[in-house]
Amino acid sequence: MALHFQTIRDAFPFIRQVITDAFKTDVNLYTYPYQHTERVDRGFRQMMWGKRDIPDIFIQFLSKPSEHRMAVVKSSLGYYNILASVSLGEARPDFISVGPFGDGSISELFVQQLVHDRKFSPEQALMVQKFYDILPVADANDVALMVQHLLSAFIPAYHDVSPEYINYSETTRKLTPNRDAFARFTTVSAERYTVYLHEFLDAMITGDEKKTADKLKIFLDATGTTKMSSLRSAKKNLYELNAFCKEKLLAAPIHPYYPLNLADRFSSRIDTCGSQDSLISLPYEMARKYCQLVRKYANPDYSFLTRSVISYIEEHLEEDLSLSVLAEQFGRNASALSGQFSRETGMSVTEYIHRARIQAAIRLFHTTDLSVTEVASSVGMYNFGYFSRLFRRETGMSPREYKKMVNK
């Protein structure tokens, strides 16, 4: 595999993507004067104890200047970071921070003990619990080996750099990586996962729901995002997927309010999921909602009014969506609103509502065990006979036939 980057700064986006895909953790590049260093622990210490200058672990790491140096840092609060300096021939080197992440010892009992030992206030205890609930879990040795492996591809001298340990309360440890586990995360494999992720995100930004769902399935099958050994791990993966979707849309010609708001809503949904089964359909719903966002707010051919009507329809499918209700909602004459909508979209408001409801019903058949009647009610169609006629017109089969086909 040929990698063509002129400097480590050019290569950093690739390095970050590979490590993020492999371990679901944050990766940041710092250049002198090393701003935003609170990101090394997602602002956790700052939230707990207020604004500080450069964190202590940075000071310790930078106190022994070296052209190339890598350290595995264990916080007194139990989480890890990997720090790696990369010199560009300047007086103060750039360095990469990977983390924070936890290991298998971070359990609910660990968090409770930490809160007790540190005598944290109830408010601080909630912060601690939230921090560790979404903290990625990985083996520090495997992460260190991955970082060394990637940096060696761009800086041959890194082949001879031995990771050191900082702030360890235990007996000094040697680097004993699990090479069998690490074999799953070769650069080639990570690049393949990265390709799948970008294909999914590129499809999403077009607003094409079917293509996006197809690309998402490939990515999920390759990475096992929702099929982890624990609910906590599955949730962490979905937090990361949600973040990728949000970042992609923040780079699109859409007001940032919309992707930020949607990302917050999905974060709350992930928070409240109580079982892995409840997470299975969530990535697809996530993809669908982000696609809708693209179609609503990134289509330059539609007026603000038409985009707003589409948005309202798709967010209120289970409610009364008669033309009079929509006209009142947007303070417009019903006939004028209907005419403008038809001219811009090529279909009447009623036709659009019917199509949106049937498409929503199809998604529910694929992602839930709801009965046909429950699906009809969920998309705002309480006349079952009318729902069946519309469904057959759109799909060529009745709702019952479609559900039976899906469940085979």
Side-chain angles (χ1 to χ4, degrees):
M1 179 182 62
L3 300 173
H4 303 291
F5 300 103
Q6 293 184 351
T7 70
I8 199 70
R9 291 178 187 173
D10 296 329
F12 176 70
F14 172 79
I15 292 171
R16 176 175 56 194
Q17 194 68 64
V18 169
I19 296 173
T20 298
D21 286 349
F23 298 109
K24 315 301 179 188
T25 190
D26 300 341
V27 186
N28 294 294
L29 175 66
Y30 296 93
T31 59
Y32 187 76
Y34 309 131
Q35 296 180 324
H36 305 299
T37 53
E38 71 278 0
R39 292 175 183 166
V40 73
D41 61 7
R42 298 185 176 182
F44 179 57
R45 287 178 174 273
Q46 184 171 308
M47 285 189 297
M48 296 294 289
W49 294 295
K51 180 69 176 174
R52 290 187 171 191
D53 296 324
I54 296 179
D56 293 342
I57 59 172
F58 279 32
I59 295 173
Q60 286 184 265
F61 182 68
L62 297 170
S63 66
K64 295 165 59 178
S66 173
E67 185 174 359
H68 302 304
R69 181 171 172 236
M70 188 164 73
V72 180
V73 182
K74 185 176 183 182
S75 165
S76 58
L77 295 177
Y79 58 81
Y80 292 85
N81 285 88
I82 309 294
L83 301 179
S85 62
V86 288
S87 175
L88 291 175
E90 300 173 2
R92 299 179 183 268
D94 290 2
F95 68 92
I96 292 171
S97 167
V98 179
F101 59 90
D103 63 12
S105 68
I106 295 181
S107 62
E108 185 173 348
L109 180 60
F110 166 87
V111 174
Q112 292 173 354
Q113 190 66 47
L114 180 66
V115 169
H116 178 269
D117 292 345
R118 295 305 180 94
K119 296 180 173 55
F120 287 135
S121 68
E123 183 179 3
Q124 288 175 313
L126 287 174
M127 291 181 184
V128 171
Q129 186 65 59
K130 179 69 173 177
F131 176 76
Y132 283 109
D133 279 346
I134 64 173
L135 193 68
V137 175
D139 185 282
N141 290 324
D142 288 347
V143 180
L145 185 61
M146 168 67 88
V147 174
Q148 183 183 25
H149 176 74
L150 286 170
L151 292 179
S152 297
F154 306 102
I155 306 173
Y158 248 97
H159 282 292
D160 301 320
V161 174
S162 297
E164 57 193 277
Y165 288 83
I166 296 178
N167 280 3
Y168 266 75
S169 57
E170 302 93 342
T171 304
T172 301
R173 297 166 54 188
K174 294 182 179 179
L175 182 67
T176 55
N178 180 342
R179 292 186 179 276
D180 290 336
F182 176 71
R184 301 194 309 272
F185 300 121
T186 63
T187 305
V188 174
S189 297
E191 184 184 56
R192 184 172 66 250
Y193 295 159
T194 302
V195 168
Y196 294 154
L197 174 64
H198 284 299
E199 286 180 347
F200 157 63
L201 295 174
D202 289 344
M204 183 189 71
I205 204 68
T206 69
D208 185 327
E209 289 187 31
K210 184 181 185 307
K211 183 178 179 181
T212 301
D214 290 344
K215 295 297 184 182
L216 177 60
K217 185 178 187 306
I218 293 172
F219 174 73
L220 295 178
D221 288 346
T223 59
T225 294
T226 58
K227 299 178 181 178
M228 306 303 291
S229 59
S230 70
L231 174 62
R232 179 177 175 181
S233 296
K235 281 188 174 186
K236 289 187 181 77
N237 287 344
L238 284 184
Y239 285 122
E240 296 295 341
L241 183 64
N242 188 34
F244 281 128
C245 294
K246 177 188 71 175
E247 293 299 325
K248 188 70 174 179
L249 261 67
L250 285 175
I254 298 172
H255 193 286
Y257 167 80
Y258 299 108
L260 289 173
N261 180 264
L262 184 57
D264 284 344
R265 282 157 49 193
F266 273 117
S267 289
S268 298
R269 287 279 303 281
I270 297 168
D271 282 342
T272 58
C273 283
S275 68
Q276 283 182 260
D277 288 343
S278 64
L279 296 175
I280 297 299
S281 64
L282 194 55
Y284 293 96
E285 182 180 350
M286 194 181 296
R288 177 171 60 85
K289 290 290 188 180
Y290 278 110
C291 279
Q292 289 175 0
L293 206 61
V294 171
R295 294 202 310 275
K296 295 170 199 172
Y297 299 108
N299 192 328
D301 298 328
Y302 291 174
S303 65
F304 176 78
L305 174 61
T306 296
R307 293 199 303 271
S308 299
V309 171
I310 290 173
S311 175
Y312 186 86
I313 289 171
E314 293 186 346
E315 291 177 7
H316 299 82
L317 286 176
E318 74 284 3
E319 300 176 14
D320 180 7
L321 291 174
S322 63
L323 183 58
S324 60
V325 168
L326 292 173
E328 182 178 355
Q329 175 69 28
F330 293 97
R332 300 299 176 93
N333 174 274
S335 178
L337 185 148
S338 177
Q340 182 173 336
F341 190 95
S342 298
R343 286 192 299 273
E344 293 183 17
T345 66
M347 66 182 80
S348 70
V349 173
T350 300
E351 288 172 332
Y352 187 93
I353 293 169
H354 287 165
R355 182 169 298 181
R357 281 175 164 159
I358 298 305
Q359 289 301 314
I362 290 171
R363 287 191 294 271
L364 288 173
F365 283 136
H366 280 274
T367 59
T368 73
D369 293 324
L370 295 176
S371 69
V372 174
T373 303
E374 288 171 331
V375 166
S377 299
S378 296
V379 298
M381 303 199 73
Y382 303 98
N383 183 324
F384 183 74
Y386 188 47
F387 170 68
S388 296
R389 289 195 298 274
L390 286 177
F391 196 95
R392 183 180 290 277
R393 189 174 71 189
E394 289 290 328
T395 66
M397 61 182 72
S398 72
R400 297 188 191 281
E401 291 169 339
Y402 193 90
K403 180 177 173 62
K404 184 176 180 181
M405 177 192 72
V406 169
N407 293 332
K408 280 184 178 180

